[in-house]
Amino acid sequence: MPVKSKNYDPLMLDDGARISVIGGGPTGTFFSIFALKMARMVGLDLDVTIYDPKDFTRRGPAGCNRCGGVVSEILVQTLAVEGIKIPDSVIHRGIDSYCLHTREGSVFISTPDREKTLAAVYRGGGPKGKSILDKSSFDRFLLDLAIQEGATHVADRIESVQYDNGRPVLLTRGNGRVEADLVVGAYGINSPFSKVFEDLDFGYRKPRCVKAAIAEIEYDRETIREHFGSSIHLFLLPERDLKFAAIIPKGTFITVCIVGRELDPERVRGFLAHPAVRKVLPPHIPDKTNCMCISNMNVEPPRRAFSDRIVACGDAGSTRLFKDGIGAAYLMGKAAARTAIFQGVRKEDFAQFYEPVYQEIHSDNLYGKVLFSFTDLLLKKFAFMTRAMLRVVDNEQQLGDPERKIMSSILWGMFTGSDRYREIFFRSFDMNMHLNLTKETLRSLLGGAT
């Protein structure tokens, strides 16, 4: 056994340090990839184990990660710079526009520029159905990358975590006992594991959530191409407890995502039967969805996300409001890895180097809440404002200069991961856009033609 120097710090990772990552989704795999890359930079040999019982190659609930599955082109390019190139084999459809549907009509919003397209993916092996899926899982792709970097994947579930002499000890469902130098909670907001972190009594509390309903409906490729094209269809409807909804085309399925409160299967069926939605869907709606789940969506971070040798990130910690969860997983996973490798694993290290990234996402989300409150109050509640907004966007879409498409870029940015909410918020003060919106509002109030 090597002799420790007198300057040895037990709360710094050293050769052979064991890191247990709870959750094999994007946050856990991004953390593992970057921790192992960074460790090699400083000559550290780490033992990184990812615990997740799911098989992301399987279709249906066994491989599902309860996500709409949209990746922004900005993130695709950022990952490419990091050496992570997302292959075409996991991209089910390229998205270059939104079609925004309201009770007052619809309008197309094309990507503001070529750098802001989207990619539709399946986080797991895809929904149950008759179609043969010719694409693979995004989460499996990332997990394989982590394994290539040197991580080990164990298909077991962690049942509890306890401190023993200042170090975390994990107990697995298979009755295994694992001592760790660092535990990374990347388990996702829908996991019951939040209770385990709460019971450690370092101040962690599960984030506040809203509900998200995810349903998959199978059609043939030609039907999806004809009715949905390469657009995400977004719905802002004045329905009780419904924040917004989207339909994402993917190969031989569409993914229906509904965000709101008090969602249940009956509410999903009611949404599919709404007149604005029926205009978009093919004439024949299958009697049953191929898959459906009602899950939680993080809207606020937990009170405390770290302690000595423990850190929560991704949906279990801080994530972006209503969008770009994969982008947030990249940011938080990398920030946690950078802190652990270069700074240390004491709570003070995470407070100084990890929490600022964590809080930056939370602060940005506050701007997002203001923006969504505006859409709720004006664009969904008042029909004349909805008509005015649609006219402004429609007029902007005829312009050649992307810099003049202010309202279009605001709506695009709100529902994708292309821009921070803070940037969108300050963009919303553009005087020319407000003059155009005022003019169209007056037209709407005076009964001008749509």
Side-chain angles (χ1 to χ4, degrees):
M1 177 180 294
V3 177
K4 306 293 186 185
S5 73
K6 61 181 179 180
N7 295 321
Y8 169 69
D9 185 346
L11 284 169
M12 286 289 293
L13 299 176
D14 62 346
D15 271 348
R18 293 181 177 180
I19 300 178
S20 295
V21 181
I22 304 171
T27 304
T29 49
F30 278 134
F31 171 88
S32 302
I33 290 167
F34 287 114
L36 289 162
K37 284 178 178 288
M38 293 172 184
R40 283 196 294 273
M41 292 171 59
V42 295
L44 277 181
D45 183 16
L46 299 179
D47 180 350
V48 177
T49 303
I50 302 171
Y51 294 91
D52 198 314
K54 287 186 177 180
D55 181 351
F56 297 128
T57 65
R58 294 182 62 184
R59 297 177 65 168
C64 176
N65 247 342
R66 303 183 182 184
C67 176
V70 176
V71 183
S72 72
E73 180 64 22
I74 299 297
L75 179 59
V76 172
Q77 294 178 3
T78 300
L79 293 179
V81 172
E82 301 277 14
I84 302 173
K85 186 178 184 303
I86 300 176
D88 291 340
S89 60
V90 305
I91 298 175
H92 287 257
R93 186 173 293 269
I95 302 294
D96 59 15
S97 60
Y98 269 93
C99 187
L100 176 62
H101 303 279
T102 73
R103 62 177 175 177
E104 298 299 317
S106 304
V107 66
F108 270 95
I109 305 174
S110 61
T111 174
D113 59 62
R114 292 183 180 180
E115 301 302 314
K116 293 186 177 181
T117 55
L118 306 168
V121 300
Y122 278 122
R123 296 282 305 282
K128 296 181 293 185
K130 298 177 182 178
S131 303
I132 297 175
L133 297 181
D134 56 357
K135 302 289 185 178
S136 54
S137 161
F138 180 80
D139 283 21
R140 185 69 226 186
F141 158 70
L142 288 180
L143 182 58
D144 286 343
L145 276 184
I147 293 170
Q148 290 173 25
E149 290 292 339
T152 300
H153 172 223
V154 175
D156 200 355
R157 190 183 304 276
I158 301 298
E159 293 289 304
S160 68
V161 178
Q162 301 172 352
Y163 275 115
D164 186 358
N165 293 322
R167 291 179 184 270
V169 176
L170 299 85
L171 298 179
T172 72
R173 176 167 289 185
N175 295 321
R177 185 179 186 275
V178 180
E179 295 182 0
D181 296 285
L182 173 64
V183 173
V184 180
Y187 45 82
I189 198 63
N190 292 291
S191 167
F193 199 83
S194 293
K195 184 67 167 56
V196 174
F197 264 38
E198 290 176 348
D199 289 344
L200 285 169
D201 203 27
F202 62 84
Y204 180 84
R205 293 294 179 269
K206 182 177 179 178
R208 193 169 70 85
C209 302
V210 295
K211 291 295 183 182
I214 311 293
E216 304 281 354
I217 302 176
E218 187 172 15
Y219 292 105
D220 62 79
R221 291 183 184 276
E222 187 57 39
T223 297
I224 291 180
R225 189 178 299 112
E226 176 185 349
H227 287 268
F228 305 100
S230 56
S231 301
I232 290 178
H233 292 257
L234 183 69
F235 298 84
L236 291 177
L237 303 173
E239 295 289 310
R240 178 182 58 85
D241 294 332
L242 182 67
K243 180 65 72 174
F244 65 88
I247 296 178
I248 306 166
K250 298 177 184 175
T252 55
F253 289 85
I254 59 170
T255 301
V256 180
C257 304
I258 306 173
V259 177
R261 300 182 187 278
E262 300 181 12
L263 297 179
D264 56 28
E266 187 60 34
R267 193 70 194 280
V268 174
R269 287 188 285 269
F271 167 77
L272 294 174
H274 191 283
V277 182
R278 289 303 305 267
K279 289 180 181 179
V280 177
L281 293 173
H284 171 64
I285 301 177
D287 294 332
K288 295 183 179 179
T289 58
N290 294 77
C291 289
M292 183 190 297
C293 66
I294 310 295
S295 59
N296 293 312
M297 178 176 282
N298 179 332
V299 294
E300 285 186 2
R303 190 175 69 196
R304 179 67 64 84
F306 48 81
S307 187
D308 289 344
R309 301 188 182 277
I310 287 182
V311 61
C313 44
D315 284 354
S318 187
T319 191
R320 299 188 73 184
L321 182 68
F322 299 143
K323 67 173 184 179
D324 194 28
I326 298 173
Y330 158 74
L331 290 173
M332 302 312 299
K334 184 177 180 181
R338 184 171 57 241
T339 301
I341 301 302
F342 297 125
Q343 310 301 333
V345 293
R346 57 170 56 85
K347 62 183 178 182
E348 291 83 5
D349 298 321
F350 288 118
Q352 183 176 357
F353 299 100
Y354 171 73
E355 190 171 26
V357 181
Y358 176 97
Q359 289 296 344
E360 184 178 358
I361 291 178
H362 173 54
S363 298
D364 191 58
N365 285 344
L366 296 178
Y367 289 98
K369 290 183 178 182
V370 174
L371 291 166
F372 278 104
S373 295
F374 176 80
T375 63
D376 287 345
L377 181 62
L378 297 179
L379 303 186
K380 291 167 62 177
K381 185 174 182 179
F382 297 109
F384 70 91
M385 284 295 298
T386 305
R387 291 194 297 269
M389 180 270 294
L390 292 174
R391 287 169 176 164
V392 170
V393 173
D394 191 46
N395 291 337
E396 287 181 348
Q397 292 300 297
Q398 314 308 315
L399 302 174
D401 184 4
E403 297 297 323
R404 297 170 62 192
K405 300 179 180 180
I406 304 299
M407 177 67 80
S408 300
S409 70
I410 287 171
L411 292 170
W412 178 272
M414 282 179 63
F415 296 101
T416 71
S418 300
D419 300 302
R420 296 171 61 197
Y421 283 122
R422 185 179 186 276
E423 296 171 0
I424 300 167
F425 176 81
F426 286 107
R427 196 183 309 155
S428 69
F429 289 97
D430 182 86
M431 186 58 67
N432 287 330
M433 183 199 73
H434 281 284
L435 289 173
N436 292 332
L437 188 59
T438 300
K439 180 183 70 173
E440 295 299 344
T441 299
L442 290 173
R443 282 187 62 199
S444 181
L445 285 170
L446 295 173
T450 58

